Amino acid sequence: SQRVVLITGCSSGIGLRIAVLLAKDEQKRYHVIATMRDLKKKDKLVQAAGDTFGNTLTLQALDVCSDDSVRQCISSVKDRHIDILINNAGVGLLGPVESISLDQMKMVFETNFFGTVRMIKEIMPDMKRRRAGHIIVMSSVMGMQGVVFNDVYTASKFAIEGFCESLAVQLLKFNVKLSLIEPGPVHTEFEAKMMEEVAKMEFPGADADTVRYFKDVYMPSSIDIFEAMGQTPDDIAKCTRKVIESSNPRFRNLTNSLYTPIVAMKYADETGGLSVHTFYNLLFNFGSLMHITMNILKCLTCSCLRRRTVSPD
Ligand code: NAD
């Protein structure tokens, strides 16, 4: 029988690719409930889904920030039976902390943290009762390592990681699996949306030096990093499929082997100084040599560290 997979945030990017990849499974092992906040944005998904639309893929409205929307959507699922929940919906936020309002910051937590928690709270009790199910959370490398000028986004991903790390222990007792997917940069609208936001930003409250470090130092190196190290949404979809198809899925799943040194560095130095100073040097001393730095990073990624990731193929 088919496994029911519910995915949030399927109008674009990673969510769309996961939905389509699973719906197109040759053995038709999945029934995908692809959800999105605004059904008016369904065209890209419907087109990519092709003839799976209405067959192995169905579409539902779901806003992870609304109790009513989540309850309505889940209650419409037959017997409320969801085998696999993929929490993918998320928003980014970039810039100097001084120029971001607390309301903007709360919106990021509303989506990335409370949105995911709301979904889990609604679906987990049924999974526990059935002693079966798999919850996937789209975290990020930034769920483990802070990144300059991504303060609030990073905090929201740290928050969800702490939540999941705690919950995983209890869920194990109920045979419910919980896995984090931790991509590095991925070429999606996420990136474009953030660049757009930045172009519009006026930086109220931030001093000139900070604005310069952000716009002229951080932004160009960030674009370079996306170019040099970015994966495709399809890569992340394939990694996710691997995780849900594993008989013994891992809790943490980094998808990009180029990022394993960053995580290794964090755990290698308990004072935290190594990470802070390495990032400082990357940004302020080698920024203009970002490509060279990236190549050094690639060389440092020895095969033993590479094995720790889940690869798309
Ligand atoms: P994206 O912007 O293309 O997709 C995010 C989706 O979430 C969009 O379809 C958006 O409409 C949806 N969404 C936002 N708020 C919502 C809400 N309240 N209810 C329902 N849906 C909502 O970007 P993406 O890169 O595909 O992001 C997907 C996930 O991957 C996010 O959680 C993001 O944090 C994570 N991620 C992205 C990257 C990257 O570099 N792009 C890296 C690591 C992790």
Side-chain angles (χ1 to χ4, degrees):
S1 69
Q2 277 182 327
R3 294 212 277 169
V4 179
V5 187
L6 187 135
I7 311 168
T8 64
C10 292
S11 62
S12 60
I14 297 169
L16 184 151
R17 293 319 317 175
I18 299 174
V20 171
L21 186 73
L22 297 182
K24 289 192 170 166
D25 181 64
E26 275 180 11
Q27 299 158 54
K28 297 190 166 48
R29 287 173 297 173
Y30 303 105
H31 177 79
V32 178
I33 304 172
T35 72
M36 59 182 69
R37 189 172 30 179
D38 181 0
L39 288 179
K40 288 203 284 296
K41 293 199 179 149
K42 69 175 192 298
D43 293 356
K44 238 191 328 176
L45 173 73
V46 171
Q47 197 186 8
D51 57 13
T52 67
F53 185 71
N55 294 306
T56 49
L57 186 145
T58 53
L59 188 61
Q60 289 276 347
L62 190 152
D63 176 352
V64 299
C65 292
S66 154
D67 285 340
D68 284 347
S69 166
V70 169
R71 213 172 296 132
Q72 239 172 47
C73 177
I74 304 310
S75 305
S76 77
V77 175
K78 186 170 174 287
D79 301 328
R80 295 175 58 91
H81 186 117
I82 293 159
D83 296 294
I84 301 165
L85 163 65
I86 302 182
N87 294 286
N88 163 78
V91 291
L93 184 63
L94 265 181
V97 169
E98 296 94 317
S99 55
I100 303 172
S101 71
L102 276 154
D103 280 340
Q104 279 175 291
M105 296 182 187
K106 284 179 185 169
M107 270 312 298
V108 174
F109 271 78
E110 273 305 326
T111 310
N112 298 2
F113 180 70
F114 290 111
T116 302
V117 171
R118 183 176 284 108
M119 292 302 298
I120 292 177
K121 261 177 80 70
E122 187 68 25
I123 292 167
M124 182 180 68
D126 294 297
M127 288 183 168
K128 285 172 79 172
R129 211 171 297 126
R130 292 198 309 270
R131 299 289 193 275
H134 196 172
I135 298 169
I136 303 280
V137 172
M138 201 51 68
S139 177
S140 167
V141 169
M142 290 195 218
M144 278 188 289
Q145 173 60 55
V147 173
V148 63
F149 292 125
N150 284 269
D151 317 75
V152 177
Y153 174 73
T154 299
S156 73
K157 292 294 188 187
F158 267 59
I160 200 63
E161 290 235 351
F163 179 87
C164 291
E165 216 173 76
S166 309
L167 195 61
V169 178
Q170 187 219 134
L171 286 181
L172 192 58
K173 197 73 188 153
F174 291 88
N175 194 39
V176 175
K177 295 167 185 128
L178 179 55
S179 300
L180 299 166
I181 316 277
E182 294 157 317
V186 185
H187 300 289
T188 63
E189 283 176 29
F190 202 78
E191 179 192 357
K193 279 176 204 163
M194 287 204 294
M195 303 299 169
E196 230 173 78
E197 291 293 313
V198 169
K200 283 189 292 193
M201 276 174 97
E202 283 173 23
F203 310 106
D207 62 276
D209 281 342
T210 305
V211 172
R212 189 163 50 82
Y213 294 142
F214 176 60
K215 282 176 70 173
D216 303 340
V217 183
Y218 169 77
M219 285 307 291
S221 28
S222 168
I223 292 167
D224 271 358
I225 288 177
F226 265 92
E227 286 297 313
M229 303 172 83
Q231 291 180 292
T232 66
D234 221 35
D235 289 335
I236 310 307
K238 286 177 184 154
C239 292
T240 306
R241 180 177 62 184
K242 223 183 214 181
V243 172
I244 64 177
E245 290 182 353
S246 162
S247 55
N248 192 12
R250 300 167 5 163
F251 176 62
R252 286 185 191 288
N253 299 274
L254 286 161
T255 68
N256 190 333
S257 60
L258 297 175
Y259 275 82
T260 53
I262 286 173
V263 180
M265 192 166 68
K266 173 165 185 163
Y267 292 108
D269 171 26
E270 69 280 11
T271 73
L274 183 60
S275 301
V276 173
H277 291 288
T278 304
F279 276 102
Y280 179 88
N281 283 323
L282 272 174
L283 186 67
F284 292 113
N285 295 336
F286 305 131
S288 54
L289 298 171
M290 193 51 82
H291 281 298
I292 297 172
T293 315
M294 287 308 139
N295 284 324
I296 295 171
L297 259 183
K298 282 182 195 173
C299 296
L300 283 174
T301 316
C302 66
S303 59
C304 79
L305 290 174
R306 193 163 293 162
R307 252 186 271 128
R308 292 198 194 157
T309 62
V310 52
S311 70
D313 30 55

